PDB file of all heavy atoms in Angstrom:
ATOM      1  N   VAL A 115      94.143 116.086 115.769  1.00  0.00           N
ATOM      2  CA  VAL A 115      94.073 117.130 116.822  1.00  0.00           C
ATOM      3  C   VAL A 115      93.680 118.467 116.189  1.00  0.00           C
ATOM      4  O   VAL A 115      92.759 119.161 116.695  1.00  0.00           O
ATOM      5  CB  VAL A 115      95.434 117.226 117.579  1.00  0.00           C
ATOM      6  CG1 VAL A 115      95.460 118.511 118.463  1.00  0.00           C
ATOM      7  CG2 VAL A 115      95.693 115.997 118.410  1.00  0.00           C
ATOM      8  N   ILE A 116      94.316 118.834 115.126  1.00  0.00           N
ATOM      9  CA  ILE A 116      94.044 120.130 114.552  1.00  0.00           C
ATOM     10  C   ILE A 116      92.601 120.186 113.973  1.00  0.00           C
ATOM     11  O   ILE A 116      91.851 121.134 114.201  1.00  0.00           O
ATOM     12  CB  ILE A 116      95.115 120.504 113.490  1.00  0.00           C
ATOM     13  CG1 ILE A 116      96.454 120.741 114.226  1.00  0.00           C
ATOM     14  CG2 ILE A 116      94.716 121.745 112.667  1.00  0.00           C
ATOM     15  CD1 ILE A 116      97.672 120.930 113.328  1.00  0.00           C
ATOM     16  N   LEU A 117      92.209 119.101 113.305  1.00  0.00           N
ATOM     17  CA  LEU A 117      90.832 119.068 112.796  1.00  0.00           C
ATOM     18  C   LEU A 117      89.806 118.989 113.919  1.00  0.00           C
ATOM     19  O   LEU A 117      88.698 119.501 113.772  1.00  0.00           O
ATOM     20  CB  LEU A 117      90.659 117.911 111.818  1.00  0.00           C
ATOM     21  CG  LEU A 117      91.414 117.992 110.494  1.00  0.00           C
ATOM     22  CD1 LEU A 117      91.357 116.720 109.734  1.00  0.00           C
ATOM     23  CD2 LEU A 117      90.864 119.171 109.642  1.00  0.00           C
ATOM     24  N   ALA A 118      90.173 118.433 115.023  1.00  0.00           N
ATOM     25  CA  ALA A 118      89.207 118.297 116.140  1.00  0.00           C
ATOM     26  C   ALA A 118      88.960 119.680 116.831  1.00  0.00           C
ATOM     27  O   ALA A 118      87.866 119.937 117.245  1.00  0.00           O
ATOM     28  CB  ALA A 118      89.721 117.326 117.179  1.00  0.00           C
ATOM     29  N   PHE A 119      89.990 120.513 116.864  1.00  0.00           N
ATOM     30  CA  PHE A 119      89.830 121.689 117.746  1.00  0.00           C
ATOM     31  C   PHE A 119      89.837 123.060 116.980  1.00  0.00           C
ATOM     32  O   PHE A 119      89.469 124.054 117.560  1.00  0.00           O
ATOM     33  CB  PHE A 119      90.978 121.743 118.784  1.00  0.00           C
ATOM     34  CG  PHE A 119      90.885 120.587 119.754  1.00  0.00           C
ATOM     35  CD1 PHE A 119      91.833 119.563 119.733  1.00  0.00           C
ATOM     36  CD2 PHE A 119      89.818 120.493 120.613  1.00  0.00           C
ATOM     37  CE1 PHE A 119      91.734 118.491 120.595  1.00  0.00           C
ATOM     38  CE2 PHE A 119      89.694 119.404 121.500  1.00  0.00           C
ATOM     39  CZ  PHE A 119      90.694 118.420 121.485  1.00  0.00           C
ATOM     40  N   VAL A 120      90.250 123.057 115.721  1.00  0.00           N
ATOM     41  CA  VAL A 120      90.340 124.319 115.032  1.00  0.00           C
ATOM     42  C   VAL A 120      89.162 124.513 114.075  1.00  0.00           C
ATOM     43  O   VAL A 120      88.914 123.659 113.226  1.00  0.00           O
ATOM     44  CB  VAL A 120      91.703 124.427 114.253  1.00  0.00           C
ATOM     45  CG1 VAL A 120      91.814 125.744 113.519  1.00  0.00           C
ATOM     46  CG2 VAL A 120      92.863 124.244 115.213  1.00  0.00           C
ATOM     47  N   ASP A 121      88.486 125.631 114.241  1.00  0.00           N
ATOM     48  CA  ASP A 121      87.348 125.992 113.427  1.00  0.00           C
ATOM     49  C   ASP A 121      87.694 127.223 112.583  1.00  0.00           C
ATOM     50  O   ASP A 121      88.726 127.843 112.794  1.00  0.00           O
ATOM     51  CB  ASP A 121      86.195 126.349 114.346  1.00  0.00           C
ATOM     52  CG  ASP A 121      84.950 125.547 114.055  1.00  0.00           C
ATOM     53  OD1 ASP A 121      84.774 125.241 112.832  1.00  0.00           O
ATOM     54  OD2 ASP A 121      84.174 125.254 114.981  1.00  0.00           O
ATOM     55  N   ASP A 122      86.806 127.535 111.645  1.00  0.00           N
ATOM     56  CA  ASP A 122      87.024 128.699 110.801  1.00  0.00           C
ATOM     57  C   ASP A 122      87.572 129.910 111.586  1.00  0.00           C
ATOM     58  O   ASP A 122      86.897 130.319 112.531  1.00  0.00           O
ATOM     59  CB  ASP A 122      85.685 129.188 110.195  1.00  0.00           C
ATOM     60  CG  ASP A 122      85.209 128.238 109.090  1.00  0.00           C
ATOM     61  OD1 ASP A 122      85.560 127.058 109.175  1.00  0.00           O
ATOM     62  OD2 ASP A 122      84.523 128.745 108.259  1.00  0.00           O
ATOM     63  N   GLY A 123      88.726 130.407 111.208  1.00  0.00           N
ATOM     64  CA  GLY A 123      89.190 131.639 111.783  1.00  0.00           C
ATOM     65  C   GLY A 123      89.902 131.501 113.143  1.00  0.00           C
ATOM     66  O   GLY A 123      90.497 132.433 113.625  1.00  0.00           O
ATOM     67  N   ASP A 124      89.860 130.324 113.720  1.00  0.00           N
ATOM     68  CA  ASP A 124      90.645 130.132 115.007  1.00  0.00           C
ATOM     69  C   ASP A 124      92.120 130.287 114.722  1.00  0.00           C
ATOM     70  O   ASP A 124      92.595 129.799 113.700  1.00  0.00           O
ATOM     71  CB  ASP A 124      90.392 128.745 115.590  1.00  0.00           C
ATOM     72  CG  ASP A 124      89.036 128.585 116.228  1.00  0.00           C
ATOM     73  OD1 ASP A 124      88.404 129.582 116.546  1.00  0.00           O
ATOM     74  OD2 ASP A 124      88.615 127.413 116.376  1.00  0.00           O
ATOM     75  N   GLU A 125      92.780 130.912 115.672  1.00  0.00           N
ATOM     76  CA  GLU A 125      94.241 131.071 115.435  1.00  0.00           C
ATOM     77  C   GLU A 125      95.017 129.891 116.053  1.00  0.00           C
ATOM     78  O   GLU A 125      94.710 129.374 117.117  1.00  0.00           O
ATOM     79  CB  GLU A 125      94.706 132.401 116.011  1.00  0.00           C
ATOM     80  CG  GLU A 125      94.114 133.540 115.253  1.00  0.00           C
ATOM     81  CD  GLU A 125      94.719 134.903 115.560  1.00  0.00           C
ATOM     82  OE1 GLU A 125      95.675 134.959 116.405  1.00  0.00           O
ATOM     83  OE2 GLU A 125      94.217 135.903 115.012  1.00  0.00           O
ATOM     84  N   VAL A 126      96.043 129.527 115.269  1.00  0.00           N
ATOM     85  CA  VAL A 126      96.950 128.464 115.758  1.00  0.00           C
ATOM     86  C   VAL A 126      98.389 129.051 115.673  1.00  0.00           C
ATOM     87  O   VAL A 126      98.791 129.583 114.638  1.00  0.00           O
ATOM     88  CB  VAL A 126      96.895 127.212 114.846  1.00  0.00           C
ATOM     89  CG1 VAL A 126      97.847 126.165 115.345  1.00  0.00           C
ATOM     90  CG2 VAL A 126      95.480 126.688 114.768  1.00  0.00           C
ATOM     91  N   VAL A 127      99.058 129.004 116.819  1.00  0.00           N
ATOM     92  CA  VAL A 127     100.416 129.581 116.882  1.00  0.00           C
ATOM     93  C   VAL A 127     101.389 128.431 116.776  1.00  0.00           C
ATOM     94  O   VAL A 127     101.272 127.441 117.456  1.00  0.00           O
ATOM     95  CB  VAL A 127     100.603 130.325 118.200  1.00  0.00           C
ATOM     96  CG1 VAL A 127     102.065 130.792 118.385  1.00  0.00           C
ATOM     97  CG2 VAL A 127      99.649 131.547 118.273  1.00  0.00           C
ATOM     98  N   THR A 128     102.358 128.579 115.874  1.00  0.00           N
ATOM     99  CA  THR A 128     103.495 127.636 115.829  1.00  0.00           C
ATOM    100  C   THR A 128     104.803 128.398 115.810  1.00  0.00           C
ATOM    101  O   THR A 128     104.825 129.613 115.554  1.00  0.00           O
ATOM    102  CB  THR A 128     103.470 126.756 114.554  1.00  0.00           C
ATOM    103  OG1 THR A 128     103.920 127.531 113.430  1.00  0.00           O
ATOM    104  CG2 THR A 128     102.096 126.138 114.285  1.00  0.00           C
ATOM    105  N   LEU A 129     105.851 127.702 116.076  1.00  0.00           N
ATOM    106  CA  LEU A 129     107.176 128.296 115.880  1.00  0.00           C
ATOM    107  C   LEU A 129     107.425 128.317 114.366  1.00  0.00           C
ATOM    108  O   LEU A 129     106.771 127.648 113.596  1.00  0.00           O
ATOM    109  CB  LEU A 129     108.239 127.424 116.539  1.00  0.00           C
ATOM    110  CG  LEU A 129     108.020 127.150 118.027  1.00  0.00           C
ATOM    111  CD1 LEU A 129     109.030 126.121 118.551  1.00  0.00           C
ATOM    112  CD2 LEU A 129     108.172 128.457 118.822  1.00  0.00           C
ATOM    113  N   GLU A 130     108.372 129.123 113.911  1.00  0.00           N
ATOM    114  CA  GLU A 130     108.738 129.163 112.492  1.00  0.00           C
ATOM    115  C   GLU A 130     110.248 129.236 112.410  1.00  0.00           C
ATOM    116  O   GLU A 130     110.824 130.098 113.133  1.00  0.00           O
ATOM    117  CB  GLU A 130     108.096 130.386 111.829  1.00  0.00           C
ATOM    118  CG  GLU A 130     108.350 130.464 110.328  1.00  0.00           C
ATOM    119  CD  GLU A 130     107.716 131.665 109.633  1.00  0.00           C
ATOM    120  OE1 GLU A 130     107.080 132.467 110.306  1.00  0.00           O
ATOM    121  OE2 GLU A 130     107.849 131.772 108.410  1.00  0.00           O
ATOM    122  N   PRO A 131     110.943 128.435 111.623  1.00  0.00           N
ATOM    123  CA  PRO A 131     110.469 127.428 110.670  1.00  0.00           C
ATOM    124  C   PRO A 131     109.570 126.357 111.363  1.00  0.00           C
ATOM    125  O   PRO A 131     109.752 126.036 112.526  1.00  0.00           O
ATOM    126  CB  PRO A 131     111.752 126.791 110.180  1.00  0.00           C
ATOM    127  CG  PRO A 131     112.861 127.646 110.580  1.00  0.00           C
ATOM    128  CD  PRO A 131     112.449 128.441 111.735  1.00  0.00           C
ATOM    129  N   PHE A 132     108.606 125.834 110.539  1.00  0.00           N
ATOM    130  CA  PHE A 132     107.714 124.810 111.057  1.00  0.00           C
ATOM    131  C   PHE A 132     107.711 123.607 110.134  1.00  0.00           C
ATOM    132  O   PHE A 132     107.898 123.754 108.933  1.00  0.00           O
ATOM    133  CB  PHE A 132     106.302 125.337 111.287  1.00  0.00           C
ATOM    134  CG  PHE A 132     105.761 126.056 110.057  1.00  0.00           C
ATOM    135  CD1 PHE A 132     105.092 125.314 109.069  1.00  0.00           C
ATOM    136  CD2 PHE A 132     105.907 127.416 109.844  1.00  0.00           C
ATOM    137  CE1 PHE A 132     104.589 125.961 107.942  1.00  0.00           C
ATOM    138  CE2 PHE A 132     105.409 128.049 108.734  1.00  0.00           C
ATOM    139  CZ  PHE A 132     104.737 127.317 107.770  1.00  0.00           C
ATOM    140  N   TYR A 133     107.447 122.440 110.715  1.00  0.00           N
ATOM    141  CA  TYR A 133     107.310 121.221 109.953  1.00  0.00           C
ATOM    142  C   TYR A 133     106.133 121.420 108.963  1.00  0.00           C
ATOM    143  O   TYR A 133     105.090 121.888 109.375  1.00  0.00           O
ATOM    144  CB  TYR A 133     107.039 120.037 110.915  1.00  0.00           C
ATOM    145  CG  TYR A 133     106.966 118.707 110.252  1.00  0.00           C
ATOM    146  CD1 TYR A 133     107.992 118.262 109.459  1.00  0.00           C
ATOM    147  CD2 TYR A 133     105.834 117.947 110.384  1.00  0.00           C
ATOM    148  CE1 TYR A 133     107.897 117.024 108.818  1.00  0.00           C
ATOM    149  CE2 TYR A 133     105.741 116.698 109.757  1.00  0.00           C
ATOM    150  CZ  TYR A 133     106.752 116.273 108.991  1.00  0.00           C
ATOM    151  OH  TYR A 133     106.657 115.060 108.354  1.00  0.00           O
ATOM    152  N   ASP A 134     106.322 121.009 107.727  1.00  0.00           N
ATOM    153  CA  ASP A 134     105.398 121.437 106.682  1.00  0.00           C
ATOM    154  C   ASP A 134     103.926 121.042 106.923  1.00  0.00           C
ATOM    155  O   ASP A 134     103.020 121.798 106.564  1.00  0.00           O
ATOM    156  CB  ASP A 134     105.871 120.930 105.301  1.00  0.00           C
ATOM    157  CG  ASP A 134     105.882 119.413 105.140  1.00  0.00           C
ATOM    158  OD1 ASP A 134     105.831 118.708 106.190  1.00  0.00           O
ATOM    159  OD2 ASP A 134     105.961 118.907 104.013  1.00  0.00           O
TER     160      ASP A 134
END
Side-chain angles (χ1 to χ4, degrees):
V115 169
I116 291 172
L117 291 171
F119 296 111
V120 179
D121 233 327
D122 286 28
D124 285 341
E125 294 191 1
V126 181
V127 173
T128 75
L129 305 171
E130 184 179 2
F132 52 86
Y133 183 57
D134 65 343

